[in-house]
């Protein structure tokens, strides 16, 4: 059982929905992003998504693209992202960490070496948005064999014919993208999301977590109410981009987490 599996078991036992937060490693700088990361569990975050900056983040909107550019300009790399996870693990051995990014940096490092290093750094799961199920032998199956959850995205365009293929080697949870398009592009609507979550849950026992388009405690509550939890990324990254002090960023996160946990 991974930390992700254990966390969802705890949440189910407590009758509570999950709140997942995304931050970009190295944004606005390495020290600040680590300080925020260390504060996330205390702000109510159940699972941390840690973004790996990449030069061509095709699934991300302007907010996260700019965060990645700032991180890269500051010298953040995959190696330093793993070091950030190791530093976090010195004080927290229970909060799950999902590494989210693109395949190129992993490929360049070498899959075997990457999986060994990620496991040693305390990473629990991977979201690699540009590797389709047809390429599962490339990373998904080796990651699962190494004890990491490989989390797949389903979208509004994932029809009933495609969905079983998406789900076949997915573990940890399913990330449902609430809108068609890039991160931060539109607002999530529970009326649209609810039937899609039900459709996915009819084909899997995995938790379904909804992301994209969630910016307020109220939206976090309504979206978590029709799923097993929600993810917020761009709204948090946007607060950091405005130069908010770490305490204010964490207070913003706490409000979102409380919204999700009220669902």
């Amino acid at each position: 059982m991974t930390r992700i599996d254990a966390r969802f078991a705890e949440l189910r036992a407590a009758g509570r929905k999950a709140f997942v937060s995304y931050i970009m490693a190295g944004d606005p700088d390495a020290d600040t992003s680590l300080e925020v990361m260390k504060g996330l569990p205390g702000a109510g975050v159940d699972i941390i998504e840690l973004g790996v900056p990449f030069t061509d983040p095709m699934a991300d909107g302007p907010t996260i693209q700019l965060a990645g550019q700032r991180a890269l300009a500051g010298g953040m790399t995959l190696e330093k992202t793993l070091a950030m996870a190791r530093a976090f693990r010195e004080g927290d051995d229970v909060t799950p960490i999902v590494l989210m990014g693109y395949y190129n940096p992993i490929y360049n490092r070498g899959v075997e070496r990457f999986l060994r290093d990620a496991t040693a750094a305390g990473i629990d799961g991977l979201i690699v948005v540009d590797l389709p199920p047809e390429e599962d032998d490339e990373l998904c199956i080796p990651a699962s064999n190494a004890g990491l959850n490989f989390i797949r995205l389903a979208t509004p365009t994932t029809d009933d014919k495609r969905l079983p293929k998406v789900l076949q080697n997915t573990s940890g949870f399913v990330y449902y993208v609430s809108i068609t398009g890039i991160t931060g592009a539109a607002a999530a609507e529970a009326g649209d999301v609810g039937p899609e979550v039900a459709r996915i849950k009819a084909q899997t026992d995995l938790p379904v977590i909804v992301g994209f388009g969630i910016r307020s405690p109220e939206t976090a509550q309504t979206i978590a109410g029709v799923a097993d939890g929600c993810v917020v990324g761009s709204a948090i990254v946007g607060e950091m981009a405005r130069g908010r002090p770490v305490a204010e960023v964490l207070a913003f996160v706490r409000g979102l987490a409380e919204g999700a946990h009220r669902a």
Side-chain angles (χ1 to χ4, degrees):
M1 179 180 282
T2 67
R3 291 184 186 92
I4 296 170
D5 299 328
R7 179 53 50 92
F8 278 111
E10 292 168 8
L11 290 166
R12 279 193 299 271
R16 198 165 82 159
K17 300 301 178 72
F19 180 69
V20 183
S21 70
Y22 171 98
I23 61 169
M24 176 67 73
D27 179 53
D29 57 70
D31 290 343
T32 302
S33 61
L34 178 57
E35 187 179 354
V36 170
M37 186 180 182
K38 288 180 175 180
L40 291 175
V45 172
D46 298 302
I47 298 172
I48 297 170
E49 279 186 25
L50 184 60
V52 181
F54 182 55
T55 53
D56 187 23
M58 63 183 185
D60 294 310
T63 299
I64 291 179
Q65 285 185 24
L66 289 170
Q69 290 172 15
R70 289 190 296 269
L72 290 169
M76 183 54 62
T77 62
L78 175 57
E79 174 61 41
K80 291 180 180 179
T81 302
L82 294 174
M84 185 173 165
R86 288 194 297 271
F88 176 84
R89 283 283 174 239
E90 291 174 4
D92 186 321
D93 196 42
V94 296
T95 303
I97 303 172
V98 176
L99 212 59
M100 185 170 186
Y102 297 83
Y103 185 50
N104 185 270
I106 296 170
Y107 177 81
N108 284 339
R109 191 178 188 85
V111 168
E112 185 176 341
R113 179 187 174 198
F114 165 75
L115 292 174
R116 183 174 63 248
D117 293 347
T119 302
I123 301 299
D124 304 291
L126 304 175
I127 299 175
V128 183
V129 297
D130 55 348
L131 272 182
E134 287 74 14
E135 304 297 334
D136 275 358
D137 288 340
E138 195 78 21
L139 180 62
C140 173
I141 291 172
S144 298
N145 290 340
L148 297 174
N149 291 129
F150 198 89
I151 296 146
R152 190 80 69 189
L153 275 62
T155 75
T157 60
T158 306
D159 60 21
D160 288 337
K161 182 178 180 181
R162 179 66 173 169
L163 186 57
K165 187 73 173 176
V166 169
L167 296 174
Q168 69 179 3
N169 290 314
T170 298
S171 62
F173 61 92
V174 179
Y175 187 137
Y176 178 68
V177 176
S178 66
I179 58 173
T180 302
I182 54 177
T183 56
E189 297 289 344
D192 297 328
V193 169
E196 291 299 299
V197 170
R199 183 170 68 91
I200 295 168
K201 290 180 75 67
Q203 296 198 37
T204 182
D205 293 329
L206 292 171
V208 179
I209 305 299
V210 177
F212 287 44
I214 301 168
R215 301 188 185 94
S216 69
E218 294 74 22
T219 308
Q221 181 176 357
T222 58
I223 295 299
V226 298
D228 295 300
C230 66
V231 184
V232 178
S234 292
I236 297 169
V237 172
E239 290 296 300
M240 297 175 71
R242 294 182 186 95
R244 307 283 195 214
V246 169
E248 289 186 16
V249 172
L250 294 175
F252 178 72
V253 173
R254 186 174 294 107
L256 294 164
E258 289 172 353
H261 292 150
R262 282 195 298 269

